[in-house]
């Protein structure tokens, strides 16, 4: 299982809506709108890195109101 945080920048005024929409995507375990350089922080999981990439590119980045994403895989030691 691969887990990652996805940091999302949105259009002005869209953070809460994007957080709700992203939170409904299968594989997303948490989505919250926050303050700071990013507007939404998401925790997601997938079976492998390829599936995680597909989740981000085909589902998250296609939502209206998202301007940029940064995916940060969780490192398990």
């Amino acid at each position: 299982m691969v887990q990652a945080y996805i940091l999302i920048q949105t259009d002005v005024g869209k953070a809460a809506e994007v957080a709700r929409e992203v939170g409904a995507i299968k594989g997303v375990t948490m989505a919250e709108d926050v303050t700071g350089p990013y507007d939404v922080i998401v925790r997601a999981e997938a079976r492998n890195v390829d599936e995680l990439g597909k989740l981000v590119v085909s589902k998250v980045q296609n939502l209206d109101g998202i301007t940029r994403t940064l995916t940060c895989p969780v490192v398990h030691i």
Side-chain angles (χ1 to χ4, degrees):
M1 183 69 62
V2 175
Q3 298 176 332
Y5 287 96
I6 305 167
L7 310 178
I8 300 174
Q9 291 178 336
T10 68
D11 291 329
V12 175
K14 294 283 189 173
E17 179 183 338
V18 167
R20 278 193 304 276
E21 291 178 8
V22 171
I25 295 173
K26 182 179 179 184
V28 171
T29 59
M30 184 260 323
E32 296 182 304
D33 50 323
V34 297
T35 60
Y38 291 92
D39 303 303
V40 178
I41 296 179
V42 174
R43 178 130 181 173
E45 60 186 21
R47 286 188 296 185
N48 55 50
V49 173
D50 289 336
E51 284 191 14
L52 181 64
K54 289 176 186 174
L55 169 77
V56 173
V57 172
S58 69
K59 304 226 167 122
V60 174
Q61 290 181 343
N62 280 333
L63 293 176
D64 288 335
I66 293 179
T67 59
R68 179 178 292 208
T69 64
L70 175 65
T71 303
C72 305
V74 174
V75 179
H76 296 281
I77 297 176

